[in-house]
Amino acid sequence: MVTEDAPVLTVSQAARLAGMHPQTLRQYDRLGLVTPRRTAGRGRRYSQRDVARLLEVQRLAQVEGINLAGIRRILDLQEHVAQLEGRLAALAMQPPGGWVFTAGTTGDVVVVRRGQRVRRAERADLEAEEGALVLWRPHRRG
């Protein structure tokens, strides 16, 4: 069974599926917009997810009129949001009250398990950068 992330398509196959010229895919790879995996011989191999991303780049450029630098920024931010949502979902699966959050004045957060202390090095780094350190513990209901 081939998954959506399996790198099985050559440049020409991916270009045909995306309705683009193979040279466009190579350019997007050089710009970091769509980065395929590589074979041992350095050949590019695209997945179905890569093809979907190529189509999104094309839509943003042609329909929305966004330049390639803007598209790259949008895609990077979307990936960052997805990573943060994954981390949030993982934290939400933890039992309530099991975490302590330490935050500096700029909002940087260090998560530690209840009963653990913020390591001296982390505390010193936060205090040196931020000038203050705040320790937040959730109130117990009851």
Side-chain angles (χ1 to χ4, degrees):
M1 181 169 139
V2 177
T3 66
E4 188 176 81
D5 291 318
V8 296
L9 303 168
T10 64
V11 172
S12 59
Q13 291 169 328
R16 187 172 55 254
L17 287 172
M20 299 177 179
H21 192 278
Q23 195 59 38
T24 303
L25 275 64
R26 292 181 187 99
Q27 180 67 24
Y28 287 174
D29 184 14
R30 282 190 290 276
L31 294 173
L33 291 171
V34 179
T35 306
R37 298 204 192 101
R38 300 290 184 146
T39 65
R42 302 290 299 148
R44 293 173 174 90
R45 288 294 183 267
Y46 291 82
S47 67
Q48 288 295 332
R49 188 179 308 272
D50 293 330
V51 172
R53 189 168 168 130
L54 288 166
L55 292 170
E56 177 66 3
V57 169
Q58 186 177 48
R59 185 191 71 76
L60 289 169
Q62 294 177 357
V63 176
E64 303 294 333
I66 301 171
N67 65 27
L68 294 179
I71 292 171
R72 182 175 180 180
R73 183 71 177 137
I74 289 168
L75 295 175
D76 288 347
L77 288 171
Q78 287 175 338
E79 187 174 316
H80 186 68
V81 166
Q83 289 173 355
L84 291 174
E85 287 173 341
R87 288 175 56 193
L88 181 61
L91 283 174
M93 298 299 292
Q94 298 294 324
W99 296 96
V100 177
F101 299 88
T102 305
T105 56
T106 63
D108 290 335
V109 176
V110 177
V111 181
V112 295
R113 285 197 158 286
R114 182 172 294 288
Q116 277 186 324
R117 292 188 168 270
V118 178
R119 285 185 238 122
R120 189 179 309 259
E122 288 174 346
R123 188 178 324 145
D125 288 345
L126 283 172
E127 289 172 347
E129 289 178 20
E130 317 293 333
L133 182 68
V134 178
L135 183 62
W136 176 81
R137 296 173 198 254
H139 290 273
R140 291 184 187 230
R141 295 179 188 208

